[in-house]
């Protein structure tokens, strides 16, 4: 089981980045993005869950709604996070996480609902 993030970097305020999470090993019900800023707890940013066959549900934390978009390419076992209108408050290490167990916790992007984690990719928003 492996989750590998890519796409992080340094971007100016108002800019965009696209994060990718390549997964292997298992079929996941929920895959999501979490972030942890210095001195803060890890928080769920956005998650995508397959609830019934091809039906997918997405979750976004309030601070990124309208700016971030999560999507999944099942054929490539990859989940993307398109981040637009980035703000210095978005600066953090972004982690990809996944679970093979569907639950209320995983669908609402809670850290304790996830079983597998990537190593993270740094996103820095600064002028």
């Amino acid at each position: 089981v492996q989750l590998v993030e890519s796409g992080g970097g340094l971007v100016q305020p108002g800019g965009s980045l696209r994060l990718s999470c390549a997964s292997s090993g298992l079929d996941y019900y929920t895959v999501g993005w979490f972030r942890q800023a210095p001195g803060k707890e890890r928080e769920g940013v956005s998650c995508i869950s397959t609830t019934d066959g091809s039906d997918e549900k997405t979750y976004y934390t309030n601070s990124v709604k309208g700016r971030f978009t999560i999507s999944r390419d099942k054929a490539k076992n990859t989940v993307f996070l398109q981040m637009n209108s980035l703000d210095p408050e978005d600066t953090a290490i972004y982690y990809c996480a996944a679970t093979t167990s569907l639950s209320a916790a995983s669908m609402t992007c809670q850290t304790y609902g996830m079983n597998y984690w990537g190593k993270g990719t740094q996103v820095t928003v600064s002028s």
Side-chain angles (χ1 to χ4, degrees):
V1 176
Q2 195 172 19
L3 301 172
V4 180
E5 305 98 334
S6 61
L10 172 64
V11 64
Q12 292 187 341
S16 298
L17 282 175
R18 188 193 195 203
L19 304 183
S20 299
C21 172
S23 63
S24 63
L26 294 172
D27 289 330
Y28 303 105
Y29 277 111
T30 297
V31 182
W33 290 95
F34 297 73
R35 66 186 180 187
Q36 188 165 18
K40 294 187 177 181
E41 292 186 356
R42 191 172 299 188
E43 65 168 346
V45 176
S46 180
C47 289
I48 186 165
S49 301
T50 301
T51 57
D52 183 15
S54 61
D55 186 31
E56 291 190 330
K57 296 188 183 300
T58 57
Y59 168 91
Y60 297 93
T61 193
N62 285 338
S63 63
V64 308
K65 286 180 180 177
R67 299 189 299 124
F68 292 9
T69 302
I70 192 169
S71 60
R72 171 153 52 181
D73 184 335
K74 289 185 178 180
K76 296 182 178 180
N77 292 324
T78 302
V79 172
F80 304 97
L81 185 68
Q82 178 67 43
M83 305 187 296
N84 299 328
S85 302
L86 283 162
D87 184 89
E89 292 292 313
D90 297 314
T91 295
I93 299 175
Y94 283 70
Y95 298 90
C96 179
T99 178
T100 55
S101 301
L102 191 63
S103 67
S106 64
M107 292 181 66
T108 56
C109 232
Q110 304 299 312
T111 55
Y112 59 87
M114 314 306 281
N115 304 115
Y116 305 98
W117 292 84
K119 294 182 178 180
T121 184
Q122 177 71 47
V123 171
T124 303
V125 185
S126 176
S127 55

